[in-house]
Amino acid sequence: MNTLSITDPLPRGPEHFDAEAFAAHTLSSPHNLAAVLDHTLLKPDATRTQVLQLCNEAAQHRFACVMINPTWVSLAAAALQGTGIPVGVVIGFPSAPPSPSPSAKRPRTCSNTVPTTSTWSSTSAS
C-alpha cells in the first residue's frame, strides 16, 4: 500500500476518487444509497424490540452498518450474524448511557474479544 504525503499530487489512476461518479452511483438506486448509510438507534431508552427491528431493517435494505449503544452489542451482533452487516458502537455520545469505565471513552479498535462484526467509534469531546 502506497501512502501519499500532503504535498503529493492526487493520483490520476484507479486510486483517484471521483466524487461526481460516486454521487451518481450512490443516488442511482435505494440499494446503493443504503450501502453507504449507517442505520442508527442511539437513544438511551431504546428497547430490545427496537434494536431487533433496526437490525432487521439493516439486513433487509443492506445498510453499511448498524450503530447502537454499547448495551446492545451482543444482541445486535447475534441478530446480524451471517448478514455481513457490521455493528458499530458509539461511546461517549451525549445521549448515550454512561460508559462502564473511564477507559471505555477512548477510541478503540476491534479485538478478538469483541464480536468480529463490531466496529468502535468515539464521539467523546474530552
Side-chain angles (χ1 to χ4, degrees), residues 11-76:
R12 300 287 184 243
E15 305 89 17
H16 181 71
F17 180 75
D18 185 339
E20 188 174 324
F22 175 80
H25 174 75
T26 300
L27 298 174
S28 68
S29 74
H31 180 268
N32 292 347
L33 179 60
V36 299
L37 297 176
D38 299 343
H39 202 27
T40 304
L41 179 61
L42 297 176
K43 64 183 187 172
D45 59 343
T47 66
R48 182 180 197 279
T49 301
Q50 291 170 326
V51 172
L52 290 173
Q53 180 179 348
L54 183 85
C55 293
N56 253 351
E57 292 168 356
Q60 178 185 355
H61 299 291
R62 306 302 304 160
F63 281 95
C65 79
V66 166
M67 293 298 291
I68 54 172
N69 286 319
T71 306
W72 299 110
V73 170
S74 295
L75 177 68

Side-chain angles (χ1 to χ4, degrees), residues 87-111:
V87 174
V89 175
V90 176
I91 298 172
F93 192 69
S95 66
S99 298
S101 71
S103 64
K105 291 185 180 182
R106 290 180 289 180
R108 297 183 182 193
T109 57
C110 289
S111 70

